[in-house]
């Protein structure tokens, strides 16, 4: 099945710094979503981005489907950005629709 | 914005007992999913459901698990005889009819603790 690799696994930032999180996937996808899991365990949907670029405030994401990767940019990080960021994909022409998650990037933003 | 709601937020159950986790998907969505996340690990697919039947299930979804849409709004996951290793966060998700090129919307999860 499709493999999803996220990097880096852990990231520590000072408040105000910028960061880039990467998601590589091994096959064509027709769905890609980025999630933020907060300290309470809730999965917050950040972007639905199977291709192209989107921005939402301090966050933006880019997916280059032909090269099988996606990037999540966090600018001017805040302590509330701490948590685990997951990339999840759905394989094109494959399963009935389940998302396959990466192992996540654990982000810690220090004040 | 419509949300997927899950109840309870936290369930504590004795090993061997049955547990039912409940979900109310977004009202115009027709595809429903359950995912599981063991503490510190990634989120894993359990089962998908469409038109009152299972569309796909993973190897995790064995005979002790079942899903049901008992009425027009609820979607439930039942674990018949819980084991310690069933302790996890369980997420419900839903998507619209054409689930290709459509995002899945996740609930806040139910944290299941088996004692």
């Amino acid at each position: 099945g499709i493999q999803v690799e996220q990097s880096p696994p852990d990231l520590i930032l000072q408040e105000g710094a910028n960061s880039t999180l990467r998601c590589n996937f091994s096959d064509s996808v027709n769905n890609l979503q980025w999630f933020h899991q907060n300290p309470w365990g809730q999965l917050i949907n950040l972007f639905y981005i199977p291709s192209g670029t989107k921005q939402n405030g301090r966050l933006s994401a880019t997916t280059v489907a032909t090269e099988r990767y996606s990037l999540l940019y966090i600018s001017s990080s805040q302590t509330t950005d701490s948590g685990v960021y997951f990339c999840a994909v759905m394989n094109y022409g494959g399963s009935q629709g389940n998302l396959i998650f990466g192992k996540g990037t654990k982000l810690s933003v220090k004040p | 914005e419509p949300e997927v709601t899950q109840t309870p937020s936290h369930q504590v159950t004795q090993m061997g007992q049955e547990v039912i986790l409940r979900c109310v998907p977004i009202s115009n969505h027709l595809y429903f999913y359950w995912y599981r996340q063991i503490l510190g690990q990634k989120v894993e697919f359990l089962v998908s459901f469409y038109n009152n039947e299972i569309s796909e299930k993973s190897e995790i979804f064995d005979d002790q698990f079942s899903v049901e849409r008992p009425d027009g709004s609820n979607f439930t996951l039942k674990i018949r005889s819980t084991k310690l290793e069933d302790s996890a966060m369980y997420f419900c998700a839903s998507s619209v009819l054409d689930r290709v090129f459509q995002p899945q919307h996740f609930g806040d999860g139910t944290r299941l603790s088996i004692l």
Side-chain angles (χ1 to χ4, degrees), chain B:
Chain B
E1 184 177 327
E3 294 181 341
V4 175
T5 57
Q6 292 187 241
T7 55
S9 57
H10 191 190
Q11 173 83 43
V12 181
T13 302
Q14 291 288 330
M15 186 172 60
Q17 296 297 306
E18 175 183 285
V19 65
I20 297 175
L21 309 182
R22 303 182 189 279
C23 170
V24 178
I26 295 173
S27 61
N28 65 331
H29 287 188
L30 296 178
Y31 284 83
F32 314 120
Y33 313 86
W34 284 102
Y35 292 82
R36 181 183 83 175
Q37 184 185 31
I38 294 172
L39 186 63
Q41 298 186 21
K42 65 180 180 180
V43 179
E44 299 174 292
F45 168 73
L46 289 178
V47 65
S48 59
F49 191 88
Y50 169 69
N51 198 25
N52 283 321
E53 62 182 22
I54 291 174
S55 298
E56 189 176 13
K57 59 184 180 180
S58 71
E59 293 177 351
I60 304 169
F61 194 86
D62 61 21
D63 291 344
Q64 71 161 343
F65 290 94
S66 62
V67 289
E68 191 178 30
R69 188 155 165 82
D71 54 42
S73 61
N74 290 285
F75 179 51
T76 62
L77 174 69
K78 180 191 292 185
I79 309 175
R80 290 191 184 83
S81 178
T82 50
K83 307 172 195 170
L84 293 176
E85 54 264 37
D86 293 327
S87 295
M89 181 77 101
Y90 289 81
F91 292 100
C92 173
S94 69
S95 64
V96 298
L97 172 63
D98 182 7
R99 81 279 188 267
V100 177
F101 302 114
Q102 291 291 331
Q104 293 185 15
H105 298 257
F106 281 69
D108 287 344
T110 292
R111 188 176 300 279
L112 178 63
S113 300
I114 307 300
L115 304 179

Side-chain angles (χ1 to χ4, degrees), chain A residues 22 24-25 64-69:
Chain A
R22 187 176 180 100
N24 292 332
F25 41 94
V64 184
T66 53
E67 297 186 21
R68 299 181 183 170
Y69 73 88

Side-chain angles (χ1 to χ4, degrees), chain A:
Chain A
I2 192 169
Q3 303 297 313
V4 182
E5 299 291 334
Q6 291 188 243
S7 59
D10 296 279
L11 185 58
I12 300 174
L13 298 174
Q14 282 298 126
E15 199 169 24
N18 302 329
S19 62
T20 301
L21 282 57
R22 187 176 180 100
C23 172
N24 292 332
F25 41 94
S26 60
D27 204 344
S28 301
V29 299
N30 57 17
N31 182 344
L32 189 147
Q33 294 180 243
W34 281 98
F35 296 90
H36 174 215
Q37 187 165 42
N38 63 22
W40 296 271
Q42 297 168 327
L43 277 177
I44 311 300
N45 186 57
L46 298 176
F47 293 103
Y48 167 70
I49 187 164
S51 64
T53 297
K54 289 186 178 179
Q55 181 156 7
N56 184 4
R58 294 182 297 105
L59 303 181
S60 63
T62 295
T63 297
V64 184
T66 53
E67 297 186 21
R68 299 181 183 170
Y69 73 88
S70 183
L71 302 174
L72 177 68
Y73 305 97
I74 304 174
S75 64
S76 304
S77 57
Q78 300 175 358
T79 56
T80 52
D81 295 331
S82 296
V84 183
Y85 290 79
F86 289 103
C87 168
V89 304
M90 184 186 304
N91 192 199
Y92 182 80
S95 65
Q96 294 297 309
N98 56 287
L99 288 171
I100 300 162
F101 283 73
K103 292 183 178 180
T105 292
K106 184 176 181 180
L107 175 64
S108 300
V109 181
K110 306 297 184 184

